[in-house]
Amino acid sequence: MSEILLQIDGKEVKAEEGMTLLEAAQRAGIAIPTFCHHEKLEPYGACRICTVEVEARGRKNLVAACLYPVEKALIVRTRSERVDKVRKMILELLLAHAPEAPELQELAQVYGARESRFEKEPSFCILCGLCVRYCAEVKKENAIAFVDRGTRREISFIPEIAARECWKCKECFPLCPTSYLQAAYFLTQGLAFPPPSAEPASEK
Ligand code: SF4
Ligand code: FES
């Protein structure tokens, strides 16, 4: 695999062909925030919080670091006025959905995002898709799915599969940036599967 030299935040970084900017930055110890990225999952490109500025042949563009492949001599800025502005707007939008999420609040401090700019519509899920994709791609179970479209889009546990599989797994819980997932699971469990006391004691 051929080696590619590029510059990230003024630092010369060695990467391999086929890597994304996010992977190259992580390997160089440069942090880029992510919400929908997970190293075990296919790139998704939904949240855009990983937006960075790239410069090549005198042209500057904003791209999603988790999707954009490394290129020879590319100049990458993980923080710039444009990048910070985009991240701030994304955070304000997401905070309207999940105002209490610590992960969002922490980044909101960094980017000066205010909760009040967009009308609050707490759905508590930011539709990062980590739970749905982890269950499908890693666990091959599809116990969680997206339902509905547009502003009504939400995640939902599929009771028949969740009742059989989730109690012994729950690997998706820590992935959720808002903790909504746990609430959705226990709600589905309360409505559609046996209560925890009916679960085998040794497996809880
Ligand atoms: S429930 Fe959590 S992990 Fe699943 S899509 Fe929503 S925010 Fe992401
Ligand atoms: S982490 Fe890149 S788009 Fe979500």
Side-chain angles (χ1 to χ4, degrees):
M1 208 170 269
S2 62
E3 197 174 73
I4 288 181
L5 280 180
L6 68 158
Q7 198 193 90
I8 306 181
D9 293 345
K11 183 174 170 182
E12 188 156 276
V13 169
K14 281 182 197 161
E16 279 149 29
E17 205 180 329
M19 281 176 96
T20 62
L21 294 182
L22 178 66
E23 288 166 333
Q26 284 173 339
R27 188 193 262 192
I30 298 168
I32 296 175
T34 64
F35 287 133
C36 68
H37 172 80
H38 189 285
E39 66 275 8
K40 288 188 182 166
L41 304 178
E42 286 298 314
Y44 193 52
C47 72
R48 300 279 153 171
I49 198 72
C50 67
T51 295
V52 295
E53 191 172 85
V54 295
E55 185 177 339
R57 296 168 287 279
R59 292 185 56 161
K60 290 182 186 172
N61 283 308
L62 293 176
V63 301
C66 69
L67 296 178
Y68 201 88
V70 291
E71 276 173 24
K72 197 174 139 202
L74 198 67
I75 296 170
V76 183
R77 293 180 191 93
T78 68
R79 294 291 298 265
S80 72
E81 205 178 310
R82 282 176 81 197
V83 167
D84 284 10
K85 212 169 151 184
V86 169
R87 289 189 190 156
K88 180 177 176 219
M89 197 190 66
I90 292 168
L91 284 162
E92 288 180 349
L93 269 167
L94 296 180
L95 279 165
H97 293 288
E100 307 298 331
E103 220 176 298
L104 296 188
Q105 284 179 348
E106 218 173 281
L107 276 183
Q109 297 270 323
V110 177
Y111 294 96
R114 290 171 290 115
E115 290 175 34
S116 55
R117 196 162 126 189
F118 295 94
E119 201 178 322
K120 280 204 178 106
E121 292 173 46
S123 55
F124 309 104
C125 171
I126 60 167
L127 302 176
C128 70
L130 285 176
C131 56
V132 174
R133 292 179 296 129
Y134 189 88
C135 194
E137 292 177 33
V138 178
K139 304 302 295 185
K140 317 271 184 226
E141 294 295 352
N142 298 295
I144 322 167
F146 279 119
V147 292
D148 249 319
R149 284 162 180 268
T151 54
R152 296 165 62 92
R153 191 164 161 86
E154 58 179 13
I155 60 119
S156 179
F157 281 87
I158 312 299
E160 310 79 68
I161 308 175
R164 197 180 63 227
E165 302 296 335
C166 296
W167 62 271
K168 62 185 176 195
C169 173
K170 296 180 185 168
E171 285 173 30
C172 59
F173 282 15
L175 305 183
C176 179
T178 72
S179 307
Y180 173 69
L181 187 61
Q182 289 93 315
Y185 173 73
F186 289 115
L187 183 67
T188 315
Q189 187 185 51
L191 295 172
F193 349 149
S197 58
E199 290 176 358
S202 58
E203 305 281 8
K204 270 187 232 172

